[in-house]
Amino acid sequence: MSDASRDFHKPVRRSPDSFDRNFAADDPAEASRVAHATASALLSRVREAPHDEVVDRLVSFTDAHGIATIAELWSHSPARSLPGTLWRLYLLQLMIHDDAATAALLYERGRTRLASADPVIAGAPAPASPDELVALIDLILRGVFAGDFALALERASSFARVVASGATDLADDYDQTEPRRASQFTTRALRLDTYADDLNAAAGLWRREGLT
């Protein structure tokens, strides 16, 4: 057999849809379709028959599997859409789980600083321990899958707003002595404040059957 014959390989035949599978992630329209379809299917199926075991798995999903799978599905979705809302809820939960002690500090600072009803709506004890905040955010997420969805979003919104207020307050403390740390808390406060607005808007959309 000649060298040319040995080097020649027949082309590998692939299924007709392999191109679509390989490049779907680079297609914004396809990514959006998948995000909305998965979020809608997940929520409707669970809420139609909210078995405790299934809800438990969804609430503890990031503890068991991390955030990467959810990020791949929903992180690029508009903030005030169903997949974008679920993404922000899981991010909020992850922030508390990853550093519950700091979250408790920020929540307490925010609770004493805010004059609004947000601490009451969020529903945390006063003061709240790290474990109590973890339990609260898990309870709020549970309400998304097996409860009043809009109310769960409003509680999450208020929760985020209280923590954002605490982060702003703590940033002020560090402003003169540790400007870099102050900047980090300011960035966190701005992000959480945006989440609070988006989650509250999503609650209104859900009540008007407009959250898709």
Side-chain angles (χ1 to χ4, degrees):
M1 181 181 293
S2 68
D3 289 343
S5 298
R6 280 197 300 269
D7 291 340
F8 177 79
H9 298 283
K10 290 183 178 180
V12 177
R13 295 189 178 275
R14 303 184 187 277
S15 62
D17 62 343
S18 63
F19 181 92
D20 293 333
R21 288 201 307 271
N22 288 335
F23 290 92
D26 295 327
D27 181 349
E30 176 64 10
S32 177
R33 185 195 68 77
V34 170
H36 284 79
T38 54
S40 178
L42 172 67
L43 200 64
S44 61
R45 287 180 184 179
V46 175
R47 289 181 63 82
E48 284 173 7
H51 300 297
D52 287 344
E53 184 180 349
V54 174
V55 175
D56 287 345
R57 287 204 302 268
L58 289 171
V59 170
S60 62
F61 185 88
T62 58
D63 288 338
H65 306 287
I67 198 74
T69 300
I70 296 173
E72 184 177 352
L73 285 172
W74 298 334
S75 65
H76 298 295
S77 300
R80 299 181 184 188
S81 67
L82 184 57
T85 296
L86 293 176
W87 167 241
R88 279 153 184 77
L89 287 167
Y90 273 113
L91 276 182
L92 191 60
Q93 183 202 38
L94 188 65
M95 183 195 77
I96 307 305
H97 281 215
D98 276 357
D99 190 356
T102 298
L105 171 63
L106 296 180
Y107 190 92
E108 182 60 16
R109 293 286 287 264
R111 183 187 68 81
T112 58
R113 184 174 184 263
L114 278 178
S116 68
D118 288 302
V120 176
I121 296 170
S129 70
D131 287 344
E132 286 171 330
L133 276 195
V134 168
L136 175 64
I137 196 64
D138 287 355
L139 181 64
I140 290 172
L141 190 57
R142 179 176 292 277
V144 167
F145 298 113
D148 186 325
F149 186 86
L151 179 59
L153 296 188
E154 288 170 344
R155 292 186 70 188
S157 170
S158 289
F159 185 96
R161 192 167 284 113
V162 174
V163 178
S165 178
T168 299
D169 197 42
L170 202 57
D172 291 342
D173 287 354
Y174 286 117
D175 195 39
Q176 297 299 319
T177 58
E178 298 183 52
R180 183 177 178 183
R181 195 168 188 186
S183 178
Q184 290 173 340
F185 279 115
T186 298
T187 299
R188 183 183 299 190
L190 291 171
R191 183 179 296 117
L192 286 168
D193 214 32
T194 300
Y195 283 7
D197 289 343
D198 290 336
L199 290 168
N200 191 59
L205 287 170
W206 176 266
R207 287 196 170 99
R208 298 191 298 274
E209 299 184 353
L211 187 66
T212 59

